[in-house]
Amino acid sequence: LPALYKNSPVSCVGILMIGIANGAYGTLGAVFASRAGLEPTMIAVMVSVTIFAGAIAQFPAGRLSDRIDRRYVLAGLSALAAFAGLAVALFQPSNVYVLISMIAIYGAAANALYPIAVAHANDYASPEDFVKVSGGLLLLFGIGTIIGPTIGGPIMTAVGPYELFLVTA
């Protein structure tokens, strides 16, 4: 991990934070939706839309990150995900379609971050180190996915379900 950090501090810190946010949402998203009053069918739609939006967003985000500095793309996507998460937490929309639309924006931005952070790390690694870099980043992501729900669950219990998005922001 020290060598990985020396290679790309942005990717190391970024992947850990991405793991925290995506781990919190991925683990507690359905719990959030249930506590926010969504019907089971709409919970499934919400989770599916988040994943689908993230998959689609990877194409333009990846293209953009090939043309400009990946750090700018990471910063922009992070800001968009944080903005969307804060908007969900602050406005707490009661209309399910507005809520799912806002969460789709969050998912599009948040789920496109990981591959760009990995690409950034690989930009500074030698080809023989690609496997080590990927392994180290997966370890950091895994640590983040442990931290995210550990923080998010108690916050949701203490304050309310919408505060999950304060954790992700």
Side-chain angles (χ1 to χ4, degrees), residues 52-149:
F52 184 72
I56 296 299
Q58 287 185 33
F59 293 104
R63 287 244 175 179
L64 185 61
S65 78
D66 288 340
R67 289 175 170 66
I68 65 172
D69 190 328
R70 295 188 206 285
R71 294 172 296 181
Y72 294 135
V73 178
L74 286 168
L77 288 172
S78 296
L80 180 59
F83 176 76
L86 289 172
V88 170
L90 293 174
F91 297 118
Q92 301 183 5
S94 58
N95 181 301
V96 69
Y97 298 106
V98 171
L99 177 63
I100 290 175
S101 297
M102 292 170 77
I103 292 173
I105 294 168
Y106 165 77
N111 290 322
L113 288 167
Y114 183 86
I116 295 172
V118 171
H120 179 71
N122 284 322
D123 287 344
Y124 296 96
S126 59
E128 61 270 5
D129 291 335
F130 286 169
V131 173
K132 290 178 190 174
V133 167
S134 291
L137 293 175
L138 280 171
L139 176 62
L140 287 170
F141 184 79
I143 292 167
T145 60
I146 293 168
I147 296 169

Side-chain angles (χ1 to χ4, degrees), residues 16 21 47 116:
L16 180 64
V47 172
I116 295 172

